[in-house]
Amino acid sequence: MVLGTLTFFMSMVPIVGAAGVWIPVCIWFLLQGQTASFFIVLAGGAGLISAIDNFIKPIIIQGKTKIHPLLIFFSLLGGITLFGPLGILFGPVITALLIATINIYREEFI
């Protein structure tokens, strides 16, 4: 229950995502010598959790934001370059604000 809740919240963190939970759990099982549990968590984490996190979530987000995924990616990189770790949040927010401002200007003045 705890790991499921932690995975839910970590999946909202860009770049790290849900892998920030299941990779340390895999390492813990491997260090404890529980190889069967290691392979089960590895297969579930890489095959199911990260597949959903990396492929389905962008499709859902793209439909709501109407921003091209490549633009989101570059805004993440630019945000990290300018603001450091906080740029993960600031970059896409600033990009979304810029796009909204351009759309408002277009509707009002053009």
Side-chain angles (χ1 to χ4, degrees):
M1 186 76 160
V2 173
L3 291 176
T5 305
L6 191 59
T7 301
F8 171 76
F9 286 111
M10 285 296 290
S11 69
M12 296 179 201
V13 176
I15 300 173
V16 176
V21 176
W22 65 263
I23 288 176
V25 171
C26 283
I27 292 170
W28 175 258
F29 280 141
L30 192 62
L31 293 175
Q32 296 297 317
Q34 299 176 3
T35 55
S37 297
F38 165 77
F39 285 115
I40 290 170
V41 173
L42 180 67
L48 184 65
I49 297 170
S50 288
I52 291 171
D53 194 37
N54 293 326
F55 296 111
I56 296 174
K57 187 171 73 171
I59 293 170
I60 293 170
I61 290 173
Q62 181 186 6
K64 292 184 179 181
T65 61
K66 295 189 175 46
I67 299 175
H68 194 276
L70 194 58
L71 182 59
I72 293 173
F73 174 73
F74 284 126
S75 69
L76 278 171
L77 290 179
I80 292 170
T81 303
L82 288 174
F83 301 110
L86 287 175
I88 292 173
L89 298 173
F90 290 157
V93 168
I94 291 170
T95 302
L97 286 173
L98 177 67
I99 291 172
T101 304
I102 291 170
N103 287 337
I104 290 170
Y105 179 80
R106 225 185 292 164
E107 287 177 13
E108 293 292 325
F109 297 109
I110 297 179

